[in-house]
Amino acid sequence: ETGVTQTPRHLVMGMTNKKSLKCEQHLGHNAMYWYKQSAKKPLELMFVYNFKEQTENNSVPSRFSPECPNSSHLFLHLHTLQPEDSALYLCASSHGERDANTGELFFGEGSRLTVL
Amino acid sequence: RKEVEQDPGPFNVPEGATVAFNCTYSNSASQSFFWYRQDCRKEPKLLMSVYSSGNEDGRFTAQLNRASQYISLLIRDSKLSDSATYLCVVNSRPSGYSTLTFGKGTMLLVSP
């Protein structure tokens, strides 16, 4: 059982659709992350929020729009995606305090996105 | 140059075998180092941290050579349940939240 829950687990959307991925963590962490995992590629960091503030945006196209209303919830809003955006989108959380960097991220099971 | 480079495998070994994975990283300012494990169609999970002095956790031994920017993982007495993809990971931040860079992973298949 994971302390990080992602919904939906699977999503199929057209290029003109608008959809959102949701992530919730129950671990009391302050940092939350979106990663993209494509076939034959390493996990790619997309965004980091620490204490609800966006601290990293890894040159992600604007068709991906993150939202972090509080330290427990993270969204990824999707709009006019391309077929090459099809991938597994993984949410993760960790401690974000200055002295708490253990390098351990706790991942959700991912949302598998297919763009037609 | 790839930031974290690993042999993708697969490594096919029989139960009880010893197997070693290697990894190199390009960012000399990397702060901390890890091995994560990812089972098929599951999320990555931390296996162990890697320290310069070398460290062991049961059947798993990790080593770091900062001068060569090289990380290794040794698995002794392989079990069927060790079959997974092993991800070499480096962290570029010394404190606060992590910015982890992942390798593509090395697949291990342990057979009876």
Side-chain angles (χ1 to χ4, degrees), chain A residues 31 33 35 37 40-43 48 50 55-56 90 95-98 101-105 107-109 112, chain B residues 32 34 36 38 41-46 49 87 89 91 93-104:
Chain A
Y33 310 74
Y35 275 85
Q37 189 171 33
K40 302 190 186 303
K41 287 187 171 183
L43 271 80
V48 183
N50 198 32
T55 53
E56 304 277 340
L90 289 160
H95 293 292
E97 301 85 349
R98 178 188 295 273
N101 184 346
T102 64
E104 183 168 14
L105 266 56
F107 285 88
E109 293 182 291
R112 186 161 296 281
Chain B
S32 49
F34 310 91
Y36 274 66
Q38 186 170 22
R41 305 191 75 80
K42 304 286 278 183
E43 73 276 18
K45 293 183 180 178
L46 178 66
S49 301
L87 305 171
V89 185
N91 183 11
R93 285 181 57 84
S95 64
Y97 65 89
S98 300
T99 49
L100 302 185
T101 301
F102 287 77
K104 288 186 185 180

Side-chain angles (χ1 to χ4, degrees), chain B residues 6-56:
Chain B
Q6 299 179 247
D7 180 345
F11 284 56
N12 288 283
V13 302
E15 273 187 290
T18 296
V19 61
F21 306 138
N22 304 316
C23 158
T24 56
Y25 61 94
S26 60
N27 183 359
S28 58
S30 296
Q31 299 287 325
S32 49
F33 309 88
F34 310 91
W35 284 100
Y36 274 66
R37 169 189 169 136
Q38 186 170 22
D39 292 330
C40 187
R41 305 191 75 80
K42 304 286 278 183
E43 73 276 18
K45 293 183 180 178
L46 178 66
L47 177 66
M48 60 194 301
S49 301
V50 188
Y51 303 114
S52 298
S53 53
N55 50 296
E56 192 173 299

Side-chain angles (χ1 to χ4, degrees), chain A residues 1 4 13 18 21 25 40 52 75 77 83 90 107 115:
Chain A
E1 187 177 324
V4 181
M13 60 187 288
K18 285 186 183 181
L21 306 181
Q25 59 95 1
K40 302 190 186 303
K52 299 188 296 180
F75 295 89
H77 303 300
L90 289 160
F107 285 88
V115 182

Side-chain angles (χ1 to χ4, degrees), chain A:
Chain A
E1 187 177 324
T2 178
V4 181
T5 304
Q6 289 187 241
T7 54
R9 294 291 310 281
H10 300 272
L11 177 63
V12 179
M13 60 187 288
M15 289 190 284
T16 58
N17 291 159
K18 285 186 183 181
K19 297 285 185 184
S20 296
L21 306 181
K22 179 183 175 182
C23 177
E24 183 174 359
Q25 59 95 1
H26 311 278
L27 300 170
H29 291 155
N30 288 300
M32 295 190 77
Y33 310 74
W34 281 115
Y35 275 85
K36 175 183 178 181
Q37 189 171 33
S38 306
K40 302 190 186 303
K41 287 187 171 183
L43 271 80
E44 300 170 62
L45 178 64
M46 300 175 72
F47 302 103
V48 183
Y49 278 80
N50 198 32
F51 292 90
K52 299 188 296 180
E53 298 295 321
Q54 187 180 125
T55 53
E56 304 277 340
N57 177 337
N58 201 19
S59 302
V60 180
S62 59
R63 57 186 184 270
F64 294 92
S65 174
E67 179 190 358
C68 187
N70 55 61
S71 291
S72 298
H73 293 86
L74 185 65
F75 295 89
L76 188 63
H77 303 300
L78 315 170
H79 178 45
T80 60
L81 296 192
Q82 305 298 310
E84 59 265 29
D85 295 324
S86 298
L88 181 67
Y89 289 85
L90 289 160
C91 174
S93 70
S94 77
H95 293 292
E97 301 85 349
R98 178 188 295 273
D99 299 324
N101 184 346
T102 64
E104 183 168 14
L105 266 56
F106 293 81
F107 285 88
E109 293 182 291
S111 293
R112 186 161 296 281
L113 173 67
T114 303
V115 182
L116 301 177

